[in-house]
């Protein structure tokens, strides 16, 4: 085995482990039910991604079950010896959407999709979540936008994600009548965005039951975002 092949094997093994572990975070934060939802990660240095298999219970997921595909969502066989081949499982039904994002947003290293209750409720209304919390300014840099209605089965959802987020600071988009998709520099970052998206969706919804939330000045939102992204925790 060449050194390059061994390095690729190690990278894919590491990402499979990470993607598998991150699915447990979706359960922990109550963002998914049954087998819905998925996490994927780009394989650095390769036109490959790793994503959850379709229809497998979260409790039964193992790193070896994570499916490796190219950036068109086609499962790959691995090296000549089949040492990092796939486990015979189909990738998530959302794979084409994830793959489209990776092809068209080269800085994205992780994509997450959930049907988390409050964020999906906003998506069902086709309504963006307004930036009325400092935490939203920090994390999303403004409103969490709504993407267009699109059916599962091809890369239409991915096209909607890319088109909606290309001019937005937000790492989250609410796909109309579907649910939230989030992106990040890596898979963990995308999971964090999914957790925070659901949190602010819930909080803003509750706020609206009490009255109209107070708007925030755009300059203050921009200041919050710049500080959090470039100074806080660095």
């Amino acid at each position: 085995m060449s050194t390059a092949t061994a390095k690729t094997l190690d990278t894919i093994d590491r990402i499979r482990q990470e993607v598998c572990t991150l699915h447990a975070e979706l359960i922990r934060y109550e963002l998914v039910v049954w087998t819905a939802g998925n996490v994927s990660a780009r394989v650095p240095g390769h036109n490959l991604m790793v994503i959850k298999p379709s229809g497998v219970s979260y409790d039964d997921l193992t790193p070896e079950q994570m499916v490796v595909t190219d950036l068109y969502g086609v499962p790959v066989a691995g090296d000549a010896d089949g040492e990092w081949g796939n486990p015979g499982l189909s990738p998530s039904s959302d794979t084409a959407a994830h793959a489209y994002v990776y092809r068209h947003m080269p800085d994205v290293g992780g994509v997450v999709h959930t049907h988390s209750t409050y964020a999906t409720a906003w998506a069902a209304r086709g309504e963006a979540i307004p930036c009325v919390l400092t935490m939203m300014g920090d994390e999303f840099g403004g409103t969490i936008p709504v993407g267009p209605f699109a059916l599962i089965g091809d890369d239409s959802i991915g096209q909607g994600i890319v088109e909606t987020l290309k001019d937005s600071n937000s790492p989250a988009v609410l796909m109309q009548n579907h649910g939230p998709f989030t992106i990040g520099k890596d898979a963990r970052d995308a999971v964090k965005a999914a957790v925070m998206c659901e949190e602010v969706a819930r909080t803003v919804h509750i706020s609206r039951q009490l009255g109209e939330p107070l708007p925030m000045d755009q300059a203050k939102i921009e200041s919050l975002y710049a500080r959090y992204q470039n100074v806080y925790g660095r």
Side-chain angles (χ1 to χ4, degrees):
M1 182 188 299
S2 69
T3 301
T5 300
K7 185 175 181 180
T8 300
L9 287 172
D10 289 343
T11 299
I12 289 175
D13 285 346
R14 174 180 59 79
I15 292 176
R16 274 177 155 160
Q17 178 65 62
E18 178 185 26
V19 169
C20 182
T21 299
L22 285 170
H23 279 92
E25 296 297 289
L26 304 188
I27 294 289
R28 176 185 176 191
Y29 288 99
E30 300 182 345
L31 304 184
V32 295
V33 296
W34 203 241
T35 64
N38 37 72
V39 178
S40 73
R42 186 193 294 272
V43 180
H46 301 274
N47 291 321
L48 299 172
M49 56 181 269
V50 174
I51 193 167
K52 172 182 174 287
S54 179
V56 177
S57 169
Y58 281 83
D59 289 339
D60 296 331
L61 288 178
T62 65
E64 295 75 23
Q65 291 175 325
M66 301 300 108
V67 183
V68 183
T69 78
D70 65 18
L71 296 189
Y72 288 87
V74 178
V76 296
D79 66 359
D81 298 322
E83 292 190 34
W84 51 275
N86 280 306
L89 297 171
S90 298
S92 165
S93 59
D94 293 303
T95 297
H98 290 238
Y100 187 93
V101 172
Y102 290 127
R103 293 201 309 274
H104 292 85
M105 302 182 83
D107 292 336
V108 170
V111 179
V112 173
H113 173 47
T114 77
H115 294 159
S116 59
T117 302
Y118 285 89
T120 302
W122 286 84
R125 289 175 50 84
E127 183 177 358
I129 305 174
C131 186
V132 293
L133 301 167
T134 58
M135 184 167 69
M136 286 192 71
D138 291 341
E139 295 282 350
F140 300 97
T143 296
I144 298 177
V146 173
F149 177 84
L151 293 174
I152 298 173
D154 57 21
D155 60 16
S156 298
I157 293 173
Q159 293 178 40
I161 295 168
V162 171
E163 185 65 24
T164 305
L165 293 184
K166 68 178 183 180
D167 297 318
S168 174
N169 287 326
S170 176
V173 54
L174 309 176
M175 294 302 288
Q176 183 181 314
N177 300 109
H178 189 165
F181 283 79
T182 58
I183 59 175
K185 66 181 185 297
D186 54 32
R188 183 175 181 81
D189 201 40
V191 169
K192 178 192 177 187
V195 173
M196 302 306 286
C197 178
E198 178 64 4
E199 174 65 12
V200 299
R202 182 177 67 91
T203 302
V204 177
H205 168 75
I206 292 171
S207 174
R208 293 207 307 182
Q209 309 316 298
L210 302 173
E212 190 63 27
L214 298 176
M216 291 174 59
D217 180 75
Q218 183 60 35
K220 290 184 172 61
I221 293 172
E222 292 172 3
S223 177
L224 286 164
Y225 184 73
R227 175 184 176 277
Y228 188 79
Q229 299 296 324
N230 301 307
V231 178
Y232 178 78
R234 298 298 191 270

